[in-house]
Amino acid sequence: LFLVRNDPRSKATLDRAEGLRARHALSLGSLARLELTSGEYWRRAGELPRGLEHMHRALNLYERAGDGQAALKTCCNLSLVYGEIRDVDRAIEYSRRVLELAERAPVEPELLARTHLNLGAAYFWQDDLEAAEREFELALQVASTHVLRLDIGRAHYNLAEVAYLRFKRAGDRAGEHRGHRHGAAALHARPNDGHASSAVATRRLKREI
């Protein structure tokens, strides 16, 4: 909870947990959750290689414990981090692991939406705007169906980014208008999420592109 709220106490709590871990026998699931939380801490701190180490340990522990859903969530996290370091091939690989299972078994809507967002981002960094737009649209579809406001906002933001980039390259006025619509929808989707920086980034998006 401290980590989600960007509370500085998250690091002290993780350090305390590591100390307790050395003195107590924990289940595989508990060990995996601790590794995953540590991985997210270091990701947020900007130390992505260190975050990846913890996340890979978490994935291994979840697979050993037979917790398929938790393993898929970890794959989604890995796809996000690999995208952030521009290791696009691995970002796509871990996203596809989630989507392939989703074709055969139920997957939580939030996990599915975020995997499509991560995969779309990977294609975006490959400059494959068509594939990126397709994944962002799929994310928006899932998020809208299940009223996942944060993911609705992210999908609209990403679609606005694609639209504005197309407008910049080809002068497509229809693309410019699509960017306006998606940008407005992104602001509407999460007006009270507590992240002022998200709103500022959305309003600046067209000018920056």
Side-chain angles (χ1 to χ4, degrees):
L1 186 59
F2 288 150
L3 182 62
V4 169
R5 294 180 174 180
N6 295 315
D7 189 309
R9 287 174 288 181
S10 60
K11 181 61 166 62
T13 306
L14 278 170
D15 289 342
R16 183 182 176 196
E18 286 292 343
L20 291 168
R21 171 181 176 174
R23 303 199 303 271
H24 299 278
L26 299 179
S27 68
L28 290 176
S30 294
L31 288 170
R33 189 170 184 180
L34 181 56
E35 291 287 357
L36 190 59
T37 306
S38 296
E40 179 63 7
Y41 172 83
W42 290 113
R43 183 188 79 82
R44 288 172 180 244
E47 297 194 30
L48 302 185
R50 191 167 180 178
L52 282 169
E53 289 180 12
H54 285 284
M55 289 182 184
H56 275 291
R57 289 179 199 149
L59 179 59
N60 179 266
L61 289 163
Y62 279 133
E63 288 176 338
R64 285 169 56 194
D67 191 338
Q69 287 296 316
L72 287 179
K73 290 180 181 179
T74 308
C75 286
C76 183
N77 289 343
L78 284 165
S79 72
L80 173 64
V81 181
Y82 277 120
E84 289 179 346
I85 64 173
R86 305 295 185 265
D87 189 338
V88 176
D89 290 339
R90 287 193 175 183
I92 292 173
E93 173 192 345
Y94 282 102
S95 291
R96 285 179 174 167
R97 284 180 64 173
V98 179
L99 298 178
E100 286 169 4
L101 183 66
E103 294 177 355
R104 306 190 303 271
V107 172
E108 292 179 9
E110 184 177 67
L111 175 60
L112 186 57
R114 293 186 179 181
T115 300
H116 281 301
L117 288 172
N118 292 345
L119 184 55
Y123 286 133
F124 183 87
W125 293 119
Q126 280 188 329
D127 204 31
D128 188 344
L129 297 186
E130 183 177 350
E133 186 174 44
R134 181 180 65 247
E135 294 300 327
F136 295 148
E137 289 284 4
L138 288 169
L140 180 59
Q141 180 181 338
V142 174
S144 298
T145 299
H146 298 278
V147 198
L148 305 171
R149 295 183 68 85
L150 181 61
D151 298 307
I152 291 170
R154 288 172 173 167
H156 277 301
Y157 178 92
N158 291 340
L159 286 165
E161 191 171 21
V162 170
Y164 285 140
L165 190 56
R166 282 181 167 160
F167 169 59
K168 174 184 177 181
R169 292 177 176 179
D172 176 13
R173 287 291 176 183
E176 180 186 26
H177 294 317
R178 282 196 303 276
H180 292 339
R181 289 198 301 273
H182 284 300
L187 290 170
H188 177 73
R190 39 183 188 166
N192 299 310
D193 68 353
H195 297 286
S197 59
S198 298
V200 171
T202 302
R203 293 189 180 99
R204 291 179 176 174
L205 180 60
K206 179 183 177 183
R207 182 170 70 250
E208 290 181 353
I209 289 178

